[in-house]
Amino acid sequence: MKLNLILFSLLIIFALVKINAHHLYRVNYHSLEIEKRKTIELKDEQNQLLIQESSKSGNGRISEYAKSKLKMNPPVKKQKKTIK
Amino acid sequence: MRKKIKKNHEFFELSKFRRRFMLLVLLTLFFILFSRAFFIQGMQKDFLQQEGFERSNRNIELYAYRGKIYDRNNQILAASETVRSITLEPNRVKFKNGDKKKLANLLGIKIKSLNKKLKTKKNHIYLKRKVDPEIASKILALKISGISTEKDYRRSYPDQEISAHVVGFAGNDGNGLEGVEYKKNDYLSGTHGYKKILIDARRRVVDNLSEVRVPVDGKDVHLTIDKRLQHIAFQSLKKTINDSEAISGSAILIDSKTGEILTMVNYPSFNPNERMRKRSPFVKNRVITDAFEPGSTLKPISIAAALEKKVVSVNTKIDTGNGFYKVGRTQITDTKPHGIISVKEILQTSSNIGVTKIAEKLSKKYLWQTYSNFGIGNLTGVNFPGESKGVMRDYSLWKERDHFSASYGYSVSTTIAQLARAYTPFANKGEIKNLRLYKGDPIKIGQRVLSIKTSEAVLKIMESVTEEGGTAIQASIPGYRVAGKTGTARQFIKGVGYGKPGERKYNASFVGIAPASNPKFIMAITIEDPSKGSNYGGVVAGPIFRRVVSEALKIYSIPQDGIEIEAEIDNDKKEI
């Protein structure tokens, strides 16, 4: 009778452990999914930033800013001197 | 006092009828329970399992990124960016006052068009695809039931119209439709995957049931294009075309030693980020797809053929007369009379009569074979969609007139890319190089088409073209020795021919090599019908060469010719 009671208790404990392990697995899997989503979001953001960087560092934009804001202009023929 | 203790049977003693009735009730209940269980487990098993799966299982798409396109310095030319697509469930949609107008304004569509979409009988439609995330946020802020957003990807081209012809563009579905996007579509596009997941009551993903297909991202493509030079070439071309009121223009700059294409530009161009791009008549990469009669830019090859065959030398004198020469019924003219001039001066002054008299000494077959060896009428190896071979009929089909007109660039047609390639033997001691646009492609060994002596002689003669007395002094670059050849070819218009004087249209072109002392760059430019000011190749296309190549020489730190000589002298002194 006592042995049966012990075995029954063990059965209940193991069943609870299994349920708990499964629950923990699901919680962790959910966290992993969140991290994966973040990775994709970061990848998208990186792409976005690369495109932005490429647009903003474009030669056309730089030369436009140089001309309009810094008043820089390429030298004309008379202003050039060739060192020989 | 002693209490009277009741016996057990006295508490639970029921009448026989009651006992049987309760038993019947319990049995009936158990029967109903088992029947229901049997019905659910046995009869409706598949249906209920299906319902259960639908509530807890989801198929989710795993997006595969389309590869990026880079220039030679790892600068982005094309990449995918995140956008939103606005979706509509017509059955659920409910508008509050003024929301419909706000939504139409945000989407940039008319209310009439929105109403039409609302009347659709489908459960789920796209109101607008690939909307900027900021606009999507504003739409969601309206809190209209039945309207939601989905994540989507859009191809973005930061270089806009500058590299549009090279990079091309992709459609709404992400597949390439033009340029490199089209040619390398299989390489760029990955394979989308999807997996089956389990969600709980709070719609959280809690398990992976099976990974049905693993996503494979597309690979990146690295081009040989230099974005910095591409910009300079585009701006120069644009300025020239606007100043000379020309129809269009194209230019290509290549590394003469490797055949790598550094710039490939056309003007007018189009913005690949705009949706109406497909309708633009200027979508084709005309550097590769459009063939034209190259005119005098073909003369160095004709002269190289004669020098190689040893029918003339650089100093052989040829009488070009008074600027008019009749071959059969064809009148050949020069822009002005040159009299008796050397082979070098023939090229320097671009004398048609001089080259014709040289071509008279060569057979049709030999001349045709030389052009063919220089890549005229052949593909350049660039591996770009829609490449034209140009037109060069077999020599057996040449009439007498074609024999001579081919020597000064008529009766044959080439693309501007072919023309640039045809000048590689002059820059590589007689070896022709294939053109390369993709960095990953192997470099092919050049094929010898000329002797070293002849190629050096022609290069030396071509230097005189950009010197005082030459036709392209505008292409000279201070501090560097430049070789080149101009071309001002009459356009052949179907049904009209070359036109009467005053009504003619011209293609002004120039092909140059710099520095001539140790060639690094070859640039070919053509301008279609410059109508304001001069229409000569040297005057119109020469300055583009000067602007672009002088920047290229600076960017690639190519030593000036004078400095190089001085440095060599210093080294010699040290050795002594």
Side-chain angles (χ1 to χ4, degrees):
Chain A
M1 182 66 188
K2 263 187 186 176
L3 182 67
N4 280 350
L5 210 64
I6 291 164
L7 287 172
F8 184 72
S9 309
L10 278 174
L11 183 72
I12 298 292
I13 289 163
F14 285 139
L16 287 170
V17 166
K18 194 192 177 298
I19 290 164
N20 189 45
H22 201 71
H23 173 69
L24 281 176
Y25 163 78
R26 287 187 165 192
V27 168
N28 288 337
Y29 190 86
H30 177 60
S31 308
L32 177 72
E33 276 298 306
I34 291 170
E35 294 305 318
K36 273 185 185 170
R37 205 178 304 157
K38 275 184 190 166
T39 311
I40 292 169
E41 277 167 16
L42 286 170
K43 207 171 173 181
D44 288 342
E45 199 181 328
Q46 187 206 20
N47 277 349
Q48 199 71 35
L49 289 170
L50 280 171
I51 292 166
Q52 265 184 33
E53 189 248 341
S54 200
S55 314
K56 293 197 170 167
S57 66
N59 303 57
R61 189 170 171 270
I62 291 170
S63 62
E64 197 185 303
Y65 269 71
K67 277 178 191 166
S68 61
K69 294 204 170 177
L70 303 171
K71 308 289 176 206
M72 290 167 79
N73 282 302
V76 291
K77 205 178 174 184
K78 283 178 188 173
Q79 293 168 309
K80 288 181 187 173
K81 256 186 186 175
T82 310
I83 304 160
K84 287 187 179 175
Chain B
M1 242 172 91
R2 201 178 157 195
K3 278 186 181 175
K4 190 187 172 186
I5 297 163
K6 281 185 179 178
K7 283 180 184 172
N8 276 346
H9 71 268
E10 285 179 88
F11 285 105
F12 303 108
E13 193 66 41
L14 290 170
S15 68
K16 215 174 201 176
F17 170 76
R18 275 184 163 186
R19 272 206 318 271
R20 282 178 185 168
F21 176 74
M22 283 312 294
L23 190 68
L24 193 69
V25 166
L26 282 171
L27 280 174
T28 312
L29 283 172
F30 271 107
F31 176 75
I32 291 167
L33 205 66
F34 279 111
S35 305
R36 183 67 186 157
F38 176 75
F39 179 69
I40 289 168
Q41 295 282 332
M43 315 280 283
Q44 282 197 310
K45 184 189 161 197
D46 292 339
F47 168 73
L48 290 171
Q49 267 184 351
Q50 186 64 28
E51 285 289 305
F53 285 145
E54 274 178 20
R55 278 166 179 72
S56 61
N57 295 5
R58 289 279 184 280
N59 278 328
I60 56 165
E61 195 179 27
L62 303 169
Y63 182 81
Y65 286 88
R66 187 173 172 84
K68 300 181 195 79
I69 301 174
Y70 291 97
D71 83 336
R72 64 187 300 117
N73 301 311
N74 287 329
Q75 291 288 310
I76 282 190
L77 296 174
S80 298
E81 63 175 341
T82 321
V83 284
R84 312 294 302 184
S85 286
I86 314 295
T87 60
L88 169 75
E89 290 172 71
N91 305 333
R92 282 187 55 219
V93 75
K94 270 176 195 169
F95 288 103
K96 289 173 210 158
N97 287 343
D99 277 356
K100 201 185 264 186
K101 200 179 173 186
K102 281 180 194 169
L103 179 70
N105 283 340
L106 284 167
L107 290 170
I109 56 172
K110 288 177 184 170
I111 289 206
K112 208 176 169 184
S113 164
L114 181 63
N115 284 333
K116 203 176 170 186
K117 287 191 173 183
L118 289 167
K119 281 175 192 165
T120 186
K121 285 176 183 172
K122 289 176 185 169
N123 293 330
H124 179 274
I125 59 160
Y126 284 108
L127 261 184
K128 196 171 182 180
R129 294 194 70 180
K130 303 187 193 295
V131 176
D132 285 331
E134 297 84 45
I135 294 172
S137 307
K138 284 179 187 170
I139 291 170
L140 285 180
L142 294 173
K143 290 181 180 171
I144 304 165
S145 58
I147 285 178
S148 55
T149 67
E150 275 178 13
K151 191 176 173 183
D152 208 344
Y153 289 88
R154 178 176 63 192
R155 213 62 177 151
S156 179
Y157 306 93
D159 232 17
Q160 298 183 359
E161 56 181 358
I162 295 172
S163 301
H165 293 102
V166 183
V167 178
F169 56 84
N172 262 346
D173 56 355
N175 282 323
L177 300 174
E178 280 287 341
V180 174
E181 289 271 32
Y182 173 73
K183 190 71 193 178
K184 292 279 173 181
N185 191 47
D186 292 344
Y187 194 77
L188 283 163
S189 49
T191 319
H192 297 304
Y194 66 94
K195 66 176 180 180
K196 216 172 227 181
I197 50 148
L198 185 74
I199 56 166
D200 66 4
R202 284 194 275 172
R203 291 178 169 269
R204 296 180 308 182
V205 179
V206 290
D207 204 356
N208 183 13
L209 295 173
S210 64
E211 194 131 328
V212 183
R213 203 166 63 199
V214 181
V216 182
D217 284 348
K219 294 182 186 82
D220 296 338
V221 171
H222 292 258
L223 302 182
T224 57
I225 294 288
D226 189 321
K227 201 173 157 178
R228 299 165 296 181
L229 293 175
Q230 185 84 351
H231 166 76
I232 297 162
F234 182 81
Q235 295 302 341
S236 303
L237 193 66
K238 186 179 173 182
K239 187 178 180 302
T240 300
I241 288 167
N242 289 338
D243 290 351
S244 63
E245 292 178 5
I247 293 171
S248 67
S250 305
I252 180 171
L253 174 71
I254 63 168
D255 183 323
S256 61
K257 291 195 188 334
T258 59
E260 287 179 347
I261 298 171
L262 299 170
T263 71
M264 190 151 59
V265 289
N266 297 282
Y267 188 82
S269 187
F270 66 98
N271 186 352
N273 294 307
E274 285 169 10
R275 286 198 64 188
M276 301 304 276
R277 59 205 168 184
K278 191 69 184 162
R279 293 185 190 174
S280 166
F282 300 106
V283 165
K284 281 191 302 178
N285 184 1
R286 298 184 296 279
V287 171
I288 299 280
T289 59
D290 283 15
F292 66 104
E293 284 179 309
S296 300
T297 49
L298 214 63
K299 282 175 186 165
I301 302 170
S302 310
I303 286 177
L307 290 174
E308 190 79 350
K309 193 84 175 168
K310 292 187 174 66
V311 293
V312 288
S313 73
V314 175
N315 298 314
T316 304
K317 297 283 181 188
I318 287 165
D319 186 6
T320 60
N322 60 355
F324 295 95
Y325 182 59
K326 208 161 188 182
V327 181
R329 287 194 300 169
T330 311
Q331 179 84 293
I332 297 162
T333 56
D334 279 340
T335 49
K336 61 177 182 181
H338 297 297
I340 299 169
I341 51 173
S342 66
V343 170
K344 181 188 170 184
E345 286 164 326
I346 285 171
L347 202 65
Q348 190 180 18
T349 55
S350 197
S351 167
N352 293 337
I353 296 168
V355 177
T356 304
K357 288 196 170 181
I358 291 171
E360 279 176 340
K361 299 175 195 291
L362 301 167
S363 69
K364 281 181 197 174
K365 187 183 176 184
Y366 178 72
L367 204 58
W368 180 90
Q369 189 61 56
T370 307
Y371 293 145
S372 190
N373 289 345
F374 274 73
I376 308 297
N378 301 317
L379 295 176
T380 59
V382 74
N383 196 12
F384 197 87
E387 186 182 2
S388 165
K389 274 186 177 181
V391 179
M392 190 171 71
R393 284 176 297 156
D394 192 80
Y395 66 90
S396 58
L397 302 169
W398 277 7
K399 292 173 187 164
E400 201 59 24
R401 189 183 57 197
D402 297 328
H403 179 189
F404 305 116
S405 58
S407 68
Y408 52 86
Y410 287 86
S411 303
V412 293
S413 67
T414 67
T415 63
I416 196 83
Q418 269 179 359
L419 210 51
R421 183 179 175 235
Y423 273 59
T424 56
F426 303 126
N428 287 301
K429 298 188 188 301
E431 284 184 7
I432 191 165
K433 300 276 180 186
N434 268 356
L435 298 189
R436 276 175 78 223
L437 181 61
Y438 308 101
K439 265 188 126 179
D441 286 357
I443 301 174
K444 285 183 185 161
I445 298 164
Q447 211 182 337
R448 178 159 300 284
V449 294
L450 268 187
S451 67
I452 297 173
K453 196 182 162 193
T454 307
S455 68
E456 283 176 349
V458 177
L459 188 68
K460 187 82 187 148
I461 299 173
M462 283 200 291
E463 269 190 65
S464 63
V465 173
T466 62
E467 289 167 358
E468 207 65 55
T471 52
I473 195 151
Q474 295 84 348
S476 64
I477 301 169
Y480 293 94
R481 283 161 53 197
V482 173
K485 185 67 195 83
T486 56
T488 311
R490 279 179 272 167
Q491 277 184 28
F492 184 85
I493 302 158
K494 230 177 183 179
V496 180
Y498 291 106
K500 292 171 189 167
E503 293 171 1
R504 286 171 183 162
K505 289 185 171 184
Y506 292 88
N507 280 328
S509 45
F510 180 75
V511 188
I513 302 171
S517 54
N518 181 20
K520 171 72 180 166
F521 302 112
I522 297 174
M523 188 172 192
I525 305 141
T526 183
I527 308 290
E528 189 190 348
D529 192 25
S531 49
K532 191 181 172 188
S534 174
N535 56 16
Y536 286 113
V539 180
V540 183
I544 301 176
F545 176 87
R546 185 213 291 255
R547 278 196 291 270
V548 178
V549 177
S550 60
E551 289 300 321
L553 290 163
K554 269 189 259 172
I555 289 170
Y556 284 82
S557 305
I558 307 296
Q560 288 192 353
D561 284 324
I563 290 168
E564 195 178 51
I565 293 160
E566 279 164 23
E568 278 171 17
I569 292 164
D570 286 346
N571 286 338
D572 290 346
K573 278 179 187 172
K574 276 175 198 170
E575 279 174 26
I576 292 162

